[in-house]
């Protein structure tokens, strides 16, 4: 499920400081696609972003649930070190990994552990309501998931936009990365989110609840119940978020 959804880039973080949120998503994939009937229905996401004088740290954790309990977990942690005075350019280092229960391995996403390193370019509008981060990364996969270690790359874009006097926010990410074992050798994943923010209403300051949706659009990423990972899917969620 994803990830980086209300990410504030380094430029914004130097103004607003620490941010974190927790999200609850009800996944509609099992209802829309017959071959995803065993897909977990619920995902919780925790995100944290914290800047400092050298750059910033970001992490998130996804936990998927079936009716009888947790089915698996995935997390990412990244660190950026600013290398320009305006903090737009940074060195980016990241770890990706997760675990899936043996019972549900056939329908899990790829959780082969990987480390990434490369560069990032971060931008924000003058009022900080619009942000954009572009990343070009080398990606190394460790041996696991029945596959050997290998080298790859990843291209990432992360954006956020707050509009209508703070009532709505549109955010998300786009990833394209190399994988030697999928059709075309590339995996694509994007998860745009649209939120209605209750703290944008009059007399609701401090009510940091948002309701909205996330739409997972992917190719060669989601496993079906036959254990295949070679299809294009568009999977929406119904979601709630509380920002701390």
């Amino acid at each position: 499920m994803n990830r980086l959804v209300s990410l504030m880039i380094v430029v914004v973080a130097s103004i607003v400081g620490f941010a974190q949120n927790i999200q609850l998503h009800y996944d509609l994939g099992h209802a829309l696609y017959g071959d995803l009937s065993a897909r977990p229905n619920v995902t919780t996401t925790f995100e944290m972003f914290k800047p400092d004088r050298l750059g910033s740290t970001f992490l998130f954790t996804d936990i998927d649930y079936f009716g009888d309990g947790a089915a698996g977990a995935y997390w990412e942690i990244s660190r950026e070190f600013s290398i320009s005075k305006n903090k737009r350019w940074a060195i980016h280092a990241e770890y990706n990994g997760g675990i899936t229960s043996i019972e549900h391995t056939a329908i899990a996403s790829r959780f082969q552990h990987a480390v990434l390193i490369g560069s990032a370019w971060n931008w924000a509008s003058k009022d900080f309501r619009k942000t954009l981060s572009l990343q070009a990364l080398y990606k190394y996969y460790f041996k696991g998931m029945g596959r050997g270690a290998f080298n790859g790359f990843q291209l990432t874009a992360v954006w956020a936009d707050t509009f209508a006097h703070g009532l709505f926010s549109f955010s998300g990410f786009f990833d394209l990365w190399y994988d030697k074992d999928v059709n075309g050798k590339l995996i694509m994943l994007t998860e745009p989110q649209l939120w209605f923010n209750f703290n944008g209403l009059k007399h609701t300051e401090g009510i940091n609840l948002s309701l909205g949706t996330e739409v997972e659009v992917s190719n060669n990423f989601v496993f079906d119940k036959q254990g295949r990972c070679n299809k294009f899917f568009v999977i929406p969620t119904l979601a709630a978020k509380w920002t701390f």
Side-chain angles (χ1 to χ4, degrees):
M1 182 75 45
N2 258 255
R3 54 171 176 125
L4 299 183
V5 259
S6 46
L7 176 65
M8 303 298 287
I9 64 172
V10 175
V11 177
V12 180
S14 65
I15 303 295
V16 302
F18 180 80
Q20 62 186 16
N21 69 79
I22 188 166
Q23 303 171 26
L24 176 67
H25 293 265
Y26 182 75
D27 190 288
L28 300 176
H30 62 290
L32 296 175
Y33 298 96
D35 51 358
L36 297 183
S37 59
R39 182 179 170 92
N41 292 342
V42 175
T43 297
T44 55
T45 298
F46 173 77
E47 294 182 333
M48 185 200 78
F49 180 73
K50 187 174 183 180
D52 54 51
R53 64 183 182 87
L54 297 178
S56 64
T57 301
F58 173 78
L59 65 84
F60 82 90
T61 300
D62 281 347
I63 302 177
D64 296 322
Y65 304 88
F66 287 98
D68 58 355
Y74 174 83
W75 83 302
E76 294 185 5
I77 183 168
S78 65
R79 173 70 198 184
E80 288 196 355
F81 295 94
S82 300
I83 57 176
S84 63
K85 289 184 178 180
N86 61 8
K87 294 189 176 181
R88 287 194 176 179
W89 288 98
I91 296 173
H92 182 104
E94 182 176 328
Y95 167 80
N96 303 170
I99 186 170
T100 304
S101 65
I102 296 174
E103 178 184 359
H104 303 300
T105 297
I107 52 82
S109 299
R110 282 196 187 277
F111 290 158
Q112 187 172 2
H113 295 230
V115 293
L116 304 88
I117 189 167
S119 61
W121 179 82
N122 301 314
W123 172 88
S125 62
K126 290 183 179 180
D127 60 4
F128 302 107
R129 290 184 178 272
K130 302 178 189 296
T131 65
L132 177 66
S133 179
L134 302 176
Q135 302 161 14
L137 307 170
Y138 161 78
K139 190 170 188 177
Y140 177 79
Y141 293 86
F142 292 94
K143 181 180 179 181
M145 294 285 293
R147 307 196 303 168
F150 66 97
N151 300 300
F153 69 88
Q154 180 170 306
L155 303 176
T156 294
V158 184
W159 70 88
D161 185 9
T162 301
F163 55 97
H165 305 287
L167 280 175
F168 293 94
S169 56
F170 176 64
S171 57
F173 72 92
F174 175 91
D175 283 341
L176 181 70
W177 70 92
Y178 171 84
D179 189 302
K180 64 184 182 64
D181 293 328
V182 302
N183 292 342
K185 309 296 184 183
L186 292 173
I187 296 176
M188 182 275 289
L189 174 65
T190 182
E191 293 183 355
Q193 295 187 342
L194 180 65
W195 298 100
F196 176 82
N197 305 311
F198 284 87
N199 62 8
L201 297 170
K202 291 183 178 180
H203 311 300
T204 58
E205 294 84 357
I207 302 178
N208 297 323
L209 174 67
S210 301
L211 298 179
T213 184
E214 174 183 273
V215 182
E216 179 183 289
V217 182
S218 68
N219 191 53
N220 292 338
F221 178 72
V222 176
F223 281 88
D224 61 23
K225 62 185 179 182
Q226 282 79 37
R228 298 171 300 191
C229 177
N230 58 358
K231 294 183 179 180
F232 178 83
F233 289 100
V234 178
I235 304 171
T237 74
L238 300 176
K241 176 174 68 172
W242 186 271
T243 301
F244 299 93

